Amino acid sequence: MNGVRDRIIRADATIAVVGLGYVGLPLACHFTEAGFGVVGFDIDLERVEQLRDGTSYVEDVDDDTVQQALDQGFEPTTYANALEEADAFLVAVPTGVEQSEPDMSAVRKATESVATNAPDREVLFACCSTVYPGATDEVIRSTLRENGREPGEDTHVAFTPERINPGGSYDFKDIPIIVGADTDEEREAAKTLFEAIVDDTVPVESTGAAEMAKVLENTYRMVNIALVNEVAQHAEEIGVDAWEAIEAAGTKPFGFQTFYPGPGVGGHCIPVDPQFLSWQGRRSGQQLNLVEQAHAINESMPNHVVDRVETALAGRGVSLESASVSILGITYKPNVGDTRNSPALSICELLDTRGANIDVVDPHVDEVRVNETTYEPADEIERDAIADTDAVLLLVDHDAFDYDVLNAAPVVFDGQDGLPDDLSTITVALGDGTTVEEDHSPRTSPTTSSNTFQS
């Protein structure tokens, strides 16, 4: 039998990317650029039609990149029978948590599509979606068997988790890809494939180890963010500036990695992936208390922010009910348009529920729904609008924001420590240990951080 690794080495292999979202589309473009024939399969017809027109819906992939991929033979399609000539299948479909349990339904359906359409020869199946440790065995291998494929024989199986950071500063090729497989032959096939598009791969001895590594990466960040969020709340109670303390601790050249407080965690990774571990711990009878407590702390931050805003308004004789509040930033992290699991959105919903009148400024978002109301965020901070509000909340530190305009605001709550030193209006920052009665100017935004909002 002509081995799939041999076909990959010769660049004779056709790559099928199943799921053309923020992970799958970049993969499709990179493999096309590397000289492979690439089929992109997605069940969303609107997405596929956009791609066929050379239009990208993923922020980190521009239209020119899509058009170049099309010119080089990239074929986006909604027809599963297009998978019939593929040699390697990369599954990059959404996963999540529903009612406190992992939602692997899209992975299962994608695996079924591969199993029922894969050609009658040796192929490679690599899952790039984030799953709970053990899911490759429980979901992918079992589904392949149920549909006539034999993992480890006619279908090499690997787990190669995505490490994409939307809006981040690292080039795709510079981020090593973990390659987990249960046999040397499967591991080498997947390693050979991904070495065509990245500088380094990190092989591990099982799919389970790779699954755990991916979940661990984001659980580590989530737990440390929870730590500084809890410290920030404590610092407010005792009148200490948490930001100054964190900066000072960060000068130690060993034993400390700097994380910063924020109004919560958002995106598609940090709020979700650790819950896979929590669920698995409950299922096995070995509860992960630290992980669950850290998740609860981060989930409490939107309520904490709203409570602090209410206190700041009360200090000026203004009730939160019917107060006008201007929100700066609605996305889950700076300089992207993604609102998935955004703590800023949760804060808007809480403010709306508690009677405040909100308006939203975010140059990266065209439309957002808050409870029962749809908003079209303004692109920039307008001085007159700011002057008429009772309070301004900086929740996402977009580069496009002009903070000089905020001198017209009566009071500003800074949830990101992003305001300049020379702002003349009254400011209160998360974790700064001050009250609204104190005329306080926060520190300059940190130049290096493990950003709370990163995904």
Side-chain angles (χ1 to χ4, degrees):
M1 181 179 286
N2 185 8
V4 65
R5 182 168 180 263
D6 292 335
R7 279 172 270 145
I8 293 169
I9 291 172
R10 295 194 305 267
D12 286 341
T14 295
I15 314 300
V17 179
V18 181
L20 296 173
Y22 79 96
V23 175
L25 183 57
L27 284 173
C29 292
H30 285 296
F31 276 110
T32 303
E33 185 180 10
F36 292 92
V38 178
V39 173
F41 172 65
D42 200 290
I43 61 174
D44 188 330
L45 178 59
E46 184 178 352
R47 274 187 174 183
V48 169
E49 288 179 341
Q50 281 184 260
L51 292 177
R52 287 173 176 167
D53 289 338
T55 303
S56 175
Y57 43 79
V58 173
E59 285 185 290
D60 284 355
V61 179
D62 59 30
D63 292 351
D64 288 343
T65 300
V66 171
Q67 187 59 57
Q68 183 179 357
L70 292 171
D71 293 342
Q72 293 172 330
F74 171 47
E75 299 179 18
T77 182
T78 58
Y79 294 104
N81 60 7
L83 305 176
E84 292 175 354
E85 297 304 316
D87 300 282
F89 299 86
L90 311 183
V91 170
V93 294
T95 59
V97 175
E98 293 291 336
Q99 297 180 339
S100 300
E101 293 193 0
D103 181 4
M104 299 290 120
S105 58
V107 171
R108 190 179 300 278
K109 289 177 182 176
T111 305
E112 289 173 353
S113 294
V114 170
T116 55
N117 289 280
D120 185 19
R121 60 175 180 263
E122 184 181 277
V123 299
L124 171 66
F125 182 110
C127 180
C128 305
S129 303
T130 303
V131 300
Y132 63 87
T136 301
D137 274 339
E138 294 180 12
V139 178
I140 293 171
R141 288 191 176 97
S142 64
T143 302
L144 288 170
R145 289 191 188 97
E146 290 166 4
N147 289 273
R149 305 294 298 192
E150 189 52 48
E153 295 184 15
D154 62 4
T155 308
H156 290 338
V157 177
F159 182 71
T160 54
E162 58 89 6
R163 281 175 157 175
I164 289 176
N165 180 20
S169 58
Y170 291 95
D171 288 338
F172 183 93
K173 67 181 180 61
D174 294 332
I175 304 174
I177 289 181
I178 298 171
V179 177
D182 291 357
T183 69
D184 292 343
E185 189 176 5
E186 291 172 300
R187 192 178 310 107
E188 284 301 313
K191 184 172 177 288
T192 301
L193 177 63
F194 281 93
E195 283 176 348
I197 60 170
V198 295
D199 290 342
D200 293 298
T201 59
V202 182
V204 294
E205 294 297 308
S206 68
T207 53
E211 292 162 338
M212 180 66 82
K214 171 59 180 178
V215 176
L216 178 60
E217 291 173 8
N218 288 319
T219 301
Y220 170 83
R221 292 162 64 197
M222 187 274 290
V223 168
N224 280 280
I225 291 167
L227 170 63
V228 291
N229 277 337
E230 189 166 49
V231 167
Q233 294 182 55
H234 179 60
E236 291 168 359
E237 292 298 318
I238 64 174
V240 170
D241 189 330
W243 297 87
E244 187 175 21
I246 292 168
E247 291 285 357
T251 63
K252 186 178 180 180
F254 58 90
F256 185 87
Q257 182 178 355
T258 304
F259 288 80
Y260 294 99
V265 293
H268 41 80
C269 291
I270 298 179
V272 176
D273 298 357
Q275 294 186 69
F276 292 164
L277 283 183
S278 298
W279 166 81
Q280 198 166 49
R282 293 191 299 271
R283 185 174 71 161
S284 68
Q286 183 65 47
Q287 189 163 331
L288 283 78
N289 294 321
L290 176 61
V291 175
E292 295 198 4
Q293 290 168 5
H295 177 71
I297 289 168
N298 289 329
E299 290 293 291
S300 75
M301 290 307 293
N303 271 298
H304 177 72
V305 169
V306 172
D307 288 343
R308 283 216 72 195
V309 171
E310 184 173 33
T311 300
L313 287 169
R316 301 183 60 250
V318 178
S319 170
L320 179 62
E321 186 176 357
S322 300
S324 58
V325 181
S326 184
I327 307 296
L328 306 186
I330 195 72
T331 60
Y332 83 85
K333 65 183 289 188
N335 307 319
V336 303
D338 196 338
T339 61
R340 282 178 295 176
N341 298 309
S342 170
L345 181 56
S346 297
I347 288 167
C348 287
E349 291 171 346
L350 289 167
L351 287 167
D352 178 72
T353 299
R354 290 164 70 167
N357 300 307
I358 66 170
D359 65 80
V360 180
V361 182
D362 196 311
H364 299 278
V365 177
D366 294 328
E367 185 177 279
V368 65
R369 190 166 182 81
V370 177
N371 293 332
E372 301 302 317
T373 304
T374 299
Y375 292 85
E376 295 181 359
D379 288 337
E380 59 185 25
I381 308 170
E382 298 178 1
R383 183 178 296 272
D384 291 345
I386 291 298
D388 288 339
T389 63
D390 293 307
V392 175
L393 274 69
L394 171 57
L395 297 180
V396 188
D397 187 17
H398 290 311
D399 289 347
F401 284 153
D402 176 11
Y403 293 134
D404 291 340
V405 178
L406 296 181
N407 286 312
V411 62
V412 181
F413 181 87
D414 184 358
Q416 285 287 295
D417 192 42
L419 298 179
D421 286 334
D422 57 358
L423 202 65
S424 60
T425 191
I426 296 173
T427 63
V428 178
L430 175 69
D432 68 3
T434 66
T435 64
V436 72
E437 288 81 7
E438 302 176 61
D439 187 0
H440 175 64
S441 294
R443 299 137 308 285
T444 304
S445 182
T447 56
T448 302
S449 77
S450 299
N451 195 315
T452 299
F453 287 110
Q454 283 187 354
S455 160

